[in-house]
Amino acid sequence: GFVTAIAADAGSLESAGVQLDKFVQIPVRVAGSQDGAARWLMDLLETPKAPEHAALDATHSRLDEKLDGGETTLLATLAPLAGASPREIKRFANLYRLARVSSADRPVLALMLAIAVGGNSAERDGLRQALNASGPTLMARAGDERLAWALAAVESQRGAPVDMTAARTAHSLAETFSLRA
């Protein structure tokens, strides 16, 4: 196996007619704004903290952690939202495996990744509006049927409504892995 890293301005390539989703399996958006660039630079310059444990075992990785039954069921439920092609579904699964090592709420992260990978522009806009709404929990707007059923599946998995803090944290992480602006 091998890995190829490509650094490109996605907007410029898309305006030239290049469809990145055919070439990029795991997109990572480094910085999309002045704030993003500044935050990225600060992360690069930050002095790393000393490890909390004495030795790391290089034969094991958090990326290798098996999905539990609830995760696989939820991912299968969200798959139609994540895309229609095998390539899009595989990208969704790969991005979830990569992103779930973060501290984000996993079911909420799965929802945000599904929308980032496969949601149409109306669904992504509807999600942004829901994230900007006031209130303690994430609510789908009237007319956002796919977002509503996906949110219901996530709430069923969690056993509780999705609070705005968890939603915003997961959305920010999911946007990092999105090919769409």
Side-chain angles (χ1 to χ4, degrees):
F2 67 94
V3 174
T4 301
I6 301 170
D9 178 4
S12 295
L13 290 174
E14 287 175 4
S15 67
V18 176
Q19 293 181 316
L20 289 176
D21 61 342
K22 291 184 178 182
F23 304 105
V24 178
Q25 184 58 239
I26 300 178
V28 179
R29 185 177 305 273
V30 175
S33 67
Q34 294 293 354
D35 276 354
R39 191 171 52 251
W40 186 60
L41 176 68
M42 295 305 290
D43 289 345
L44 286 173
L45 297 176
E46 185 176 298
T47 305
K49 297 177 184 171
E52 293 181 15
H53 38 80
L56 294 176
D57 181 358
T59 62
H60 300 299
S61 167
R62 289 186 62 201
L63 295 172
D64 296 329
E65 180 185 335
K66 292 195 181 299
L67 295 167
D68 67 33
E71 284 177 299
T72 16
T73 301
L74 181 61
L75 292 178
T77 301
L78 296 175
L81 182 60
S85 73
R87 180 181 316 197
E88 291 167 327
I89 301 304
K90 180 66 172 163
R91 181 177 298 118
F92 171 57
N94 286 342
L95 291 175
Y96 178 76
R97 285 185 179 276
L98 183 63
R100 76 187 187 129
V101 301
S102 73
S103 61
D105 183 296
R106 287 182 176 184
V108 181
L109 178 61
L111 170 66
M112 299 303 169
L113 285 169
I115 294 170
V117 170
N120 60 39
S121 61
E123 290 164 342
R124 289 190 310 275
D125 290 343
L127 176 61
R128 283 187 197 103
Q129 287 181 6
L131 289 166
N132 290 327
S134 60
T137 59
L138 184 65
M139 310 257 310
R141 300 178 312 167
D144 289 338
E145 291 84 17
R146 288 190 350 148
L147 179 56
W149 69 254
L151 184 57
V154 168
E155 289 175 344
S156 174
Q157 169 73 21
R158 294 177 84 236
V162 175
D163 66 271
M164 291 301 263
T165 301
R168 289 178 181 131
T169 299
H171 181 260
S172 177
L173 181 59
E175 287 293 302
T176 301
F177 296 108
S178 176
L179 284 170
R180 299 176 178 116

